[in-house]
């Protein structure tokens, strides 16, 4: 089966979407991207893209930081994404990766005066982290600060910071890294935001602690308030607060809600999945599969309904 991608303004087979070896973004990390999930609902025979619009809105913000001109509006990007996923005919969970990048084939580090390219590819995608709980270590790598490369923009080059931390953690036998800011506050995982539950309070690092403004993070803040009456506290978290928390979880489009069982060889809470984490996990799963009418507006169907 031919897999289609969106590349240089057209839907083309994946094998035809190539960039040259001199492409600016390949050398200097001058691109920005998004990661969107679509969930297969077998009962409805429908695929739902989750909070696609918010992902493209964040991409617009990332492109501003990198001086990249997107060729399309948020509406057009959403329409093209639905069309692309539909063309590929998936009946399973899918990951969608839009990428905007400096496409000029030329030597010279800068952002201005370069051409911009845009592409979207899609791929089948299962769980990114173990949903029954993971073991983390505090990274020896610090989260890159806003004064160096802004973490609030999803910049390709920024992910060297994440990759250093992730490989260090995994090669030492852990599942994921937790990075601290330059001044030692908890920032985020290599590709996930972080929450702790401490004395009944739900706490997450603020946007000013060098995190990506996660869409899953935002979803959890809204769900906790709406469904459980829990107002999330956004404040800096010390490393030692991780060790004494009752619950901890990482969250992201890829990671979904991933319970953290252990950090730096200390069990978190009982060392098992915490009760609020478990409740949020199952609520989140219902919502992303389009099974929760109240949050259906977050889900964009890919396939047209065939009415008898
Ligand atoms: N932080 C980083 C560094 C990430 O790469 C991601 C994944 N996009 C997240 C947090 C979570 O963001 P979201 O919930 O929007 O996927």
């Amino acid at each position: 089966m031919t897999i289609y991608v969106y590349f240089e303004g057209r839907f083309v087979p994946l094998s035809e979407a190539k960039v040259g070896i001199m492409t600016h973004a390949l050398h200097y990390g001058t691109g920005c991207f998004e990661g969107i999930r679509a969930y297969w609902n077998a009962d409805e025979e429908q695929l739902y893209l989750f909070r696609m619009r918010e992902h493209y809105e964040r991409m617009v913000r990332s492109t501003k930081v990198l001086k990249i001109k997107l060729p399309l509006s948020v509406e057009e990007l959403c329409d093209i994404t639905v069309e692309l996923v539909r063309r590929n005919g998936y009946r399973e969970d899918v990951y969608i990766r839009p990428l905007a990048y400096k496409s000029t084939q030329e030597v010279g580090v800068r952002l201005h005066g370069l051409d911009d390219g845009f592409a979207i590819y899609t791929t089948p995608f299962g769980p990114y982290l173990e949903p029954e709980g993971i073991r983390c270590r505090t990274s020896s790598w610090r989260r890159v600060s806003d004064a160096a490369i802004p973490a609030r923009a999803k910049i390709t080059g920024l992910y060297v910071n994440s990759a250093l931390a992730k490989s260090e953690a995994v090669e030492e036998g852990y599942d994921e890294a937790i990075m601290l800011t330059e001044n030692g506050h908890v920032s985020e995982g290599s590709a996930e935001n972080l929450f702790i539950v401490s004395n009944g309070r739900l706490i997450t690092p603020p946007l000013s602690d060098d995190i990506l403004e996660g869409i899953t993070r935002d979803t959890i803040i809204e769900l906790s308030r709406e469904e459980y009456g829990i107002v999330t506290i956004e404040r800096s978290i010390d490393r030692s607060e991780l060790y004494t928390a009752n619950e901890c979880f990482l969250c992201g489009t890829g990671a979904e809600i991933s319970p953290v069982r252990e950090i730096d060889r200390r069990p978190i809470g009982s060392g098992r999945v915490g009760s609020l984490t478990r409740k949020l996990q199952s609520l989140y799963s219902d919502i992303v599969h389009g099974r929760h009418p109240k949050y259906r507006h977050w889900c964009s169907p890919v396939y047209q309904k065939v009415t008898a």
Side-chain angles (χ1 to χ4, degrees), residues 1-5 7 11-19 121:
M1 192 183 89
T2 305
I3 291 292
Y4 284 90
V5 300
F7 182 63
F11 297 104
V12 297
L14 174 61
S15 58
E16 290 174 23
K18 305 278 187 215
V19 295
Y121 80 79

Side-chain angles (χ1 to χ4, degrees), residues 55 58 143 154 159 188 190-193 212 214-217 251-253:
H55 281 280
R58 183 171 66 190
R143 186 67 177 142
K154 214 170 154 51
Y159 279 77
E188 59 181 343
S190 70
E192 309 87 15
N193 293 115
L212 181 73
I215 288 153
T216 320
R217 176 184 181 274
C251 68
T253 298

